[in-house]
Every structure is written in C-alpha cells, then in structure tokens.
C-alpha cells in the first residue's frame, strides 16, 4: 500500500501568481489605442462645451436686448446693457471662458460679441468670438449667429453657415 501511495502521489501543483509579460503588454497596447481615440474626442467635447457657454451667455443678453427694444423702441448702449444684463460688463463677465460681451450698433442694426479668454480655454478658441447680429425683416428682428473660430466643427449647426450673414 505504501508503494502505491508513493508511486501515485500527486505532485503539488504550483499556483500561478501574477500576469505574464505578454499579457501586460497586450493590456498596455489596448489602453494606448483607447487613449489615442479618446483624448482628441474629449478635447473636442470640452471645446464645444466652452462654445455653448458663450452662446448661452449671449442668449441671455439677446433676451435683455429684446425686452429693452420692446419697451423703448431702440437698442441699448453698453452702459444700459450693463444695467439690464450685468453679465455684459465689458471688464468682468464673471464666466470661466468669456472675457467680454460687447454690444455695438445703432437704431437699425445691433451686434453682440462674446470674446473668449486667452487662458484656461481651448487653444483654438482663445481670443476668438461668437457674434450675434440683428437682421431687420418684415416680421421683426432676427438674430444671426456668426463666428471667427477657425474650426467650425466646434460651433453648433446654427452658427456654421458659410453665407455672409451666418446662420439663423
């Protein structure tokens, strides 16, 4: 019996611990491929979010201007816009990405310009602007969005037109 046990004893199996080098290299390669795809997409996503902030800020200014025009019959100047829409202050817009909102115009034409900051903003947006112009039509005043941002993919569809009047 003893010989049987000695002859048929099972060798203790070594428990495998850790990963092999090839397994680690495959994982690192997969992570690298995902990073190459994900980082540019994330950067583009952040830039579009920054553009959206500018458009939302200008949206509030457009409402303030429209309300002012409906009560007074004319467009507000910078000081008046600052008083009715404090975010339009030329020196401190209190936003993370916008340096200033500048109104410009006369009785028949009005422009709102939101300029991006130089720092803490996507490099392709730095010192560029989102611009809303008015266009008087038979039905009233229409706002037209344009921009001098070189990468038009960062803009919403309403601002991407190549026409001289931008997109509505």
């Amino acid at each position: 019996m003893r010989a049987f046990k000695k002859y048929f004893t099972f060798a203790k199996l070594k428990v495998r611990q850790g990963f092999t080098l090839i397994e680690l290299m495959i994982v690192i390669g997969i992570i690298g491929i995902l990073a190459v795809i994900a980082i540019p997409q994330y950067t583009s996503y952040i830039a579009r979010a920054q553009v959206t902030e500018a458009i939302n800020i200008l949206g509030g200014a457009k409402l303030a201007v429209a309300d002012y025009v409906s009560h007074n019959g004319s467009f507000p100047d910078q000081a008046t816009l600052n008083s009715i829409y404090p975010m339009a202050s030329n020196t401190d817009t209190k936003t993370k990405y916008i340096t200033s909102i500048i109104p410009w115009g006369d009785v028949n034409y009005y422009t709102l310009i939101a300029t991006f900051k130089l720092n803490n903003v996507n490099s392709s947006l730095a010192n560029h602007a989102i611009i809303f112009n008015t266009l008087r039509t038979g039905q009233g005043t229409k706002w037209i969005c344009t921009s001098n941002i070189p990468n038009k993919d960062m803009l919403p569809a309403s601002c991407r037109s190549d026409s001289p009047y931008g997109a509505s």
Side-chain angles (χ1 to χ4, degrees), residues 72-162:
N72 299 302
S74 64
F75 291 112
D77 60 6
Q78 175 76 48
T80 306
L81 183 62
N82 288 346
S83 67
I84 62 174
Y85 189 67
M87 293 292 288
S89 170
N90 201 14
T91 57
D92 184 17
T93 60
K94 296 176 182 68
T95 70
K96 193 170 181 180
Y97 308 114
I98 305 300
T99 263
S100 63
I101 297 174
I102 302 170
W104 180 82
D106 57 23
V107 176
N108 296 313
Y109 185 80
Y110 201 72
T111 300
L112 290 170
I113 304 168
T115 306
F116 288 97
K117 293 180 178 180
L118 290 172
N119 300 326
N120 300 326
V121 71
N122 186 288
S123 61
S124 60
L125 300 177
N127 210 28
H128 287 87
I130 301 286
I131 305 157
F132 278 102
N133 297 307
T134 57
L135 178 65
R136 296 247 182 203
T137 65
Q139 292 96 7
T141 302
K142 181 178 181 180
W143 289 95
I144 298 170
C145 178
T146 59
S147 177
N148 64 354
I149 295 172
N151 186 355
K152 299 300 180 193
D153 290 336
M154 293 182 184
L155 298 171
S158 61
C159 293
R160 286 187 197 162
S161 175
D162 293 331

Side-chain angles (χ1 to χ4, degrees), residues 5-33:
K5 275 187 174 179
K6 186 177 179 189
Y7 187 72
F8 288 103
T9 57
F10 295 100
K12 291 188 178 182
L13 297 176
K14 245 187 177 179
V15 179
R16 197 173 113 185
Q17 296 178 349
F19 298 102
T20 65
L21 181 61
I22 191 71
E23 290 171 335
L24 292 174
M25 295 298 288
I26 289 170
V27 169
I28 289 172
I30 291 171
I31 290 171
I33 290 169

